[in-house]
Amino acid sequence: MLNKLALRNARRLWKDYLNYFLTLCMITALTFSFHSLLFSKDIYEMIHFGNNGELSTAGTMLVTFMAVSTVAILMIVAWLINYMTRFILEKRSREFAIYLLSGMKKKQIAALYMKENFYLGISALFAGLLLGSGLQQILFYVFYKSIGKNYRVNIEISAGSILLTIILYGACFMIALFRNKKKFFNMEIISLLNMDRQNETVNEKRNAIWKWLFYLSIGNVLFLYFLIFTGRITKWAAVFEMIGLVFTFYFFYLGLSAFLMKYIKSKGSLIYKKDCLFLMRQFSSKMRNTCFVLGTLSLLFMFALVGSSLAFMLSDYQNKQLNVEYPFDIILISDNTENDFVKEGTLINENTVPRSTLKYCVYQNGTSEMVDYLYQNLRLFSDKDSDPAMAEGRKAAAYYDYDVYMGITDYNSLRKMLGLTPVALQDNQYLIHMPNRVYQEIKDRSEKPQNSLHIGLDFAGFMTEGFAQNGHNGTDFLLVVPDKRLAGMKKYFSLMAVMASGNVPENLSESLYESAGKIRGYDELADYIKIGSEELFLMPATIQVKSREVLELKFLMSTLSFPLFYIGLVFLCVAFTVLSVQQLSDSNKYKFRYQILNKLGIGKKKIRNVVAKQLFLYYLCPVILSVIISAVFILYVGRQFVIYTGIHTEWILYFGISFVSFLGIYVLYFAVTYFQFNKNIEP
């Protein structure tokens, strides 16, 4: 008997909380498809290298960020399920009280409650796994495209990904159910009868105080904009502002509710216009009772928008910068200035077809004037006055001991290999080649870098094309001089650069390291090579095979961007689900109110318009606050992105794309809620 009743009630729950059921399905599908990345055999081979199957840097990042995103998703899903099971308990409290009055025992009712939610949850789980198996193919296709590989449809259902999804999903569900079961056992019949009325009382005595919370919240947001636009944000200012924003999210709605109630009492002019009074009363009372929920949802919206915008920025970096950072197909460096790279050249010829090859040297003259100039002017060393030891340590890790020089002949030969136009240099001139990122940072300094050098030559200008300047052809700079000037200098390093015809095998990197007696990814940090002031994604490498390095970096950036999309999408679905359920749960109360409006002469079409406005206000309020704060965050991050990468990224474009995607989900949930709400209030 109880099983039949539980099944019937579960079907009713499915109808009444359709958005909740669909969100559980979507979260399960997303979780399953993303977990499949960790258990894919092909991806496993990509992130391991060497005979011992060592985990690569990109593989470590993939596992780490997937673990972090899983924990974040687990926490928010646990909150959603706990919130919804408690919400359902509140809405059905009178029904359970009647069961008790009819002679049923608490143990039986609790078992019924558990079974109903279990049936609902297990249905969502299986539906989500089926949906996830299809979503998995889309995810894998996009992931492979993002790392520059082709994907063939492969129905690879991993037992590990299924088991992990079930364990995490089941843990969230069972913890929430047992927690609310315990709460139910501690309640008496009178408590159950009054449970769904607890949020109906509105205390207006503190409105005068709470109204100021609205002004304080707006003031804090304006102060944040002031800090960002004037560039006065510091570490401690950021910490205090972040704390202030957390309070802003939660106090804003309480203050806005008090502000609207005060406005209604003071008989503002808007209350006499059409249906404004009805909507304002509904909106202010609902906001007062759900201010904590609305604050939490605004935070989720903000995280979703910021996360997806950051993911687009990382994708932009990947598309624009990798060819700049790795211009040569293969480049090797050795501190043995007599190294002729015969063994390496033979190995390269066996694995690929070189189109052009150059063996050459860079030089030093025992001075470090350009290194000292960059140390004095680059942002990376801006804390040198407060902590000289730290700044000197960074300088030693970033730059070689001496300035790096190259002759014009070798320089033009390398430019020709890259398809760049050769440059002309007179006998009394020199030029500086540096990454555009560094050039953009120093170009407006009052002191010219050429005035810091005492080599007896005239400065001929800057060149900023990609030129392998993360330890090979200099670090952040290369001084190009006439060939005859090299006669008085010492050879610093020997190098070999290769441009290949066709693709270069990725495993050539491991072969070159093995021939040199090194292990890729382990010996580099202790080696002599420097990396300059580059702080994003790059690691020092004496042996650089572009195909392998680009694959690793694309893989790395995908492991950063995909979890951000993943978290953002789940957060959006959770937030909209709670908004939807909040409104639909009160549709029975609104049914009576709208029937009165209908009897007063307001037609069904007009009532539907009022419903649309009511839902729109409630949906829009947390969205507006999160968009206002997210926009200034993305502005700040966009500026920092330019500083760290040298790429002038259109932050407003990425924010706009994220917002448009956000609106698509918004419209979907709003439409479903609107349809269900109208259905519930109709006689």
Side-chain angles (χ1 to χ4, degrees):
M1 180 66 182
L2 284 179
N3 288 331
K4 290 183 179 180
L5 182 60
L7 284 171
R8 190 195 68 182
N9 288 344
R11 286 195 294 269
R12 189 182 69 183
L13 286 177
W14 182 85
K15 293 179 180 178
D16 292 344
Y17 301 99
L18 178 61
N19 286 355
Y20 172 50
F21 177 81
L22 293 177
T23 298
L24 288 179
C25 293
M26 179 60 70
I27 291 173
T28 304
L30 287 169
T31 304
F32 170 69
S33 58
F34 272 87
H35 286 165
S36 299
L37 290 174
L38 295 175
F39 293 92
S40 169
K41 294 179 181 178
D42 291 338
I43 294 178
Y44 178 88
E45 292 176 358
M46 290 182 198
I47 63 178
H48 290 79
F49 62 89
N51 297 327
N52 297 325
E54 299 289 345
L55 189 64
S56 66
T57 302
T60 303
M61 296 296 289
L62 173 64
V63 174
T64 301
F65 279 95
M66 287 303 297
V68 171
S69 61
T70 298
V71 170
I73 296 302
L74 183 64
M75 291 173 62
I76 198 63
V77 170
W79 176 82
L80 172 67
I81 295 175
N82 180 68
Y83 176 86
M84 286 303 305
T85 51
R86 177 183 172 83
F87 193 85
I88 292 171
L89 177 62
E90 289 179 359
K91 295 305 173 183
R92 300 185 61 202
S93 57
R94 291 193 181 189
E95 178 186 342
F96 291 155
I98 293 173
Y99 288 164
L100 286 172
L101 290 171
S102 301
M104 288 181 68
K105 296 180 180 180
K106 274 191 175 182
K107 187 176 181 180
Q108 291 177 307
I109 299 173
L112 177 67
Y113 172 72
M114 294 280 285
K115 286 181 179 179
E116 292 169 3
N117 282 277
F118 176 77
Y119 291 151
L120 181 69
I122 204 72
S123 300
L125 174 63
F126 282 113
L129 290 175
L130 289 175
L131 177 62
S133 61
L135 186 61
Q136 175 189 2
Q137 301 303 314
I138 300 174
L139 176 67
F140 271 64
Y141 175 80
V142 175
F143 186 83
Y144 272 65
K145 282 294 182 183
S146 69
I147 62 176
K149 287 186 170 291
N150 294 321
Y151 176 67
R152 296 179 181 177
V153 176
N154 180 20
I155 308 299
E156 181 185 349
I157 305 299
S158 168
S161 58
I162 294 176
L163 184 61
L164 182 58
T165 303
I166 292 174
I167 290 174
L168 295 178
Y169 181 91
C172 291
F173 226 96
M174 297 312 295
I175 290 172
L177 286 177
F178 279 107
R179 184 176 179 181
N180 285 284
K181 178 183 177 182
K182 183 179 179 181
K183 179 180 177 64
F184 172 74
F185 269 111
N186 293 330
M187 298 183 70
E188 302 298 332
I189 293 177
I190 187 63
S191 301
L192 288 169
L193 289 172
N194 294 326
M195 191 176 181
D196 65 340
R197 292 183 175 182
Q198 289 177 359
N199 287 331
E200 293 182 4
T201 58
V202 176
N203 186 356
E204 298 185 8
K205 294 181 180 179
R206 299 180 181 176
N207 272 359
I209 299 174
W210 287 343
K211 181 183 69 174
W212 288 101
L213 295 176
F214 176 64
Y215 298 121
L216 286 174
S217 299
I218 293 177
N220 189 49
V221 174
L222 292 176
F223 182 64
L224 174 64
Y225 270 78
F226 170 77
L227 290 176
I228 297 297
F229 278 101
T230 59
R232 298 185 181 183
I233 191 163
T234 63
K235 180 174 66 176
W236 287 109
V239 170
F240 286 116
E241 185 60 30
M242 291 299 293
I243 296 172
L245 283 177
V246 172
F247 285 101
T248 295
F249 276 111
Y250 289 102
F251 288 158
F252 174 81
Y253 300 102
L254 189 61
L256 180 58
S257 173
F259 176 83
L260 290 175
M261 289 181 178
K262 185 71 175 178
Y263 183 84
I264 293 171
K265 280 193 169 184
S266 62
K267 298 181 181 179
S269 58
L270 283 177
I271 67 173
Y272 300 106
K273 294 183 179 181
K274 296 183 179 180
D275 44 24
C276 284
L277 177 60
F278 179 81
L279 291 172
M280 289 172 70
R281 288 291 300 175
Q282 298 276 67
F283 184 52
S284 60
S285 61
K286 186 67 178 176
M287 194 185 311
R288 171 67 59 84
N289 295 326
T290 59
C291 59
F292 180 81
V293 174
L294 288 174
T296 303
L297 299 185
S298 293
L299 280 172
L300 294 180
F301 287 145
M302 187 191 74
F303 287 137
L305 283 172
V306 171
S308 58
S309 299
L310 288 177
F312 281 120
M313 285 187 183
L314 289 172
S315 178
D316 185 54
Y317 178 88
Q318 174 178 306
N319 293 332
K320 292 180 179 178
Q321 194 67 6
L322 290 184
N323 285 330
V324 174
E325 299 289 354
Y326 300 102
F328 298 97
D329 289 335
I330 304 168
I331 188 167
L332 315 173
I333 185 171
S334 172
D335 57 350
N336 177 8
T337 57
E338 302 303 322
N339 192 340
D340 56 5
F341 299 103
V342 173
K343 184 168 59 173
E344 291 84 352
T346 302
L347 192 57
I348 291 171
N349 290 330
E350 291 174 354
N351 287 271
T352 188
V353 180
R355 186 180 75 242
S356 55
T357 302
L358 180 67
K359 298 176 183 179
Y360 61 101
C361 287
V362 295
Y363 293 77
Q364 55 92 0
N365 64 353
T367 64
S368 59
E369 292 173 333
M370 192 63 189
V371 168
D372 294 336
Y373 170 81
L374 293 177
Y375 172 70
Q376 293 291 332
N377 290 274
L378 289 185
R379 168 193 47 77
L380 178 67
F381 312 108
S382 59
D383 61 348
K384 54 184 175 294
D385 293 329
S386 60
D387 192 347
M390 180 181 292
E392 285 291 345
R394 288 182 179 177
K395 176 185 175 184
Y399 298 121
Y400 294 117
D401 295 335
Y402 304 112
D403 293 341
V404 177
Y405 290 81
M406 181 182 290
I408 186 64
T409 300
D410 288 339
Y411 179 72
N412 278 330
S413 297
L414 292 172
R415 291 182 66 87
K416 184 177 180 181
M417 290 174 66
L418 297 175
L420 301 175
T421 304
V423 298
L425 200 63
Q426 297 179 11
D427 290 343
N428 63 338
Q429 290 182 323
Y430 78 98
L431 63 83
I432 301 175
H433 195 120
M434 60 173 48
N436 185 57
R437 166 183 55 82
V438 180
Y439 172 70
Q440 293 297 327
E441 188 172 347
I442 69 168
K443 68 177 182 179
D444 296 328
R445 304 298 170 113
S446 58
E447 181 185 1
K448 301 292 184 181
Q450 60 268 26
N451 295 336
S452 299
L453 300 177
H454 302 88
I455 57 176
L457 297 174
D458 296 330
F459 180 61
F462 288 101
M463 304 301 291
T464 59
E465 300 94 344
F467 208 65
Q469 292 190 280
N470 294 296
H472 295 87
N473 294 325
T475 51
D476 285 351
F477 73 94
L478 175 67
L479 302 174
V480 183
V481 297
D483 292 338
K484 64 180 182 180
R485 286 282 177 169
L486 300 177
M489 300 183 185
K490 293 182 179 180
K491 291 182 178 179
Y492 208 168
F493 302 109
S494 58
L495 300 99
M496 181 171 74
V498 179
M499 296 299 289
S501 297
N503 296 326
V504 178
E506 294 153 10
N507 60 4
L508 177 58
S509 177
E510 274 71 33
S511 301
L512 288 169
Y513 271 98
E514 186 177 350
S515 69
K518 298 178 180 180
I519 299 176
R520 185 176 184 275
Y522 280 84
D523 292 330
E524 304 295 9
L525 292 176
D527 221 324
Y528 54 83
I529 194 168
K530 309 296 183 178
I531 196 172
S533 60
E534 177 65 62
E535 296 181 84
L536 290 179
F537 306 118
L538 297 180
M539 291 292 287
T542 54
I543 299 171
Q544 207 172 75
V545 178
K546 180 178 180 178
S547 57
R548 180 67 190 193
E549 302 296 339
V550 168
L551 173 65
E552 285 249 349
L553 281 175
K554 284 186 174 182
F555 203 103
L556 174 60
M557 283 180 278
S558 296
T559 61
L560 289 170
S561 58
F562 271 64
L564 288 173
F565 280 122
Y566 173 33
I567 292 173
L569 186 57
V570 171
F571 278 16
L572 283 180
C573 291
V574 169
F576 283 128
T577 298
V578 174
L579 283 175
S580 175
V581 168
Q582 279 282 346
Q583 285 296 307
L584 291 175
S585 65
D586 290 338
S587 57
N588 288 329
K589 300 176 188 176
Y590 295 138
K591 180 177 182 179
F592 174 73
R593 297 170 188 174
Y594 282 114
Q595 284 178 349
I596 292 177
L597 290 177
N598 183 250
K599 290 177 181 179
L600 290 174
I602 298 178
K604 288 185 177 181
K605 184 177 180 180
K606 178 64 175 176
I607 288 177
R608 289 195 186 99
N609 290 336
V610 174
V611 169
K613 292 177 183 178
Q614 175 185 331
L615 295 178
F616 181 71
L617 283 174
Y618 193 69
Y619 263 74
L620 192 64
C621 193
V623 172
I624 289 179
L625 183 61
S626 61
V627 167
I628 290 173
I629 296 176
S630 300
V632 73
F633 270 127
I634 296 303
L635 168 63
Y636 176 75
V637 173
R639 288 179 176 178
Q640 297 303 307
F641 197 77
V642 173
I643 292 173
Y644 281 94
T645 66
I647 298 176
H648 289 274
T649 181
E650 297 294 336
W651 68 270
I652 191 66
L653 174 64
Y654 305 133
F655 183 76
I657 294 173
S658 300
F659 184 64
V660 169
S661 304
F662 172 93
L663 284 180
I665 302 174
Y666 175 96
V667 170
L668 176 63
Y669 272 87
F670 182 86
V672 173
T673 305
Y674 176 73
F675 175 78
Q676 288 184 286
F677 194 99
N678 279 313
K679 184 178 179 181
N680 290 347
I681 66 172
E682 288 180 358

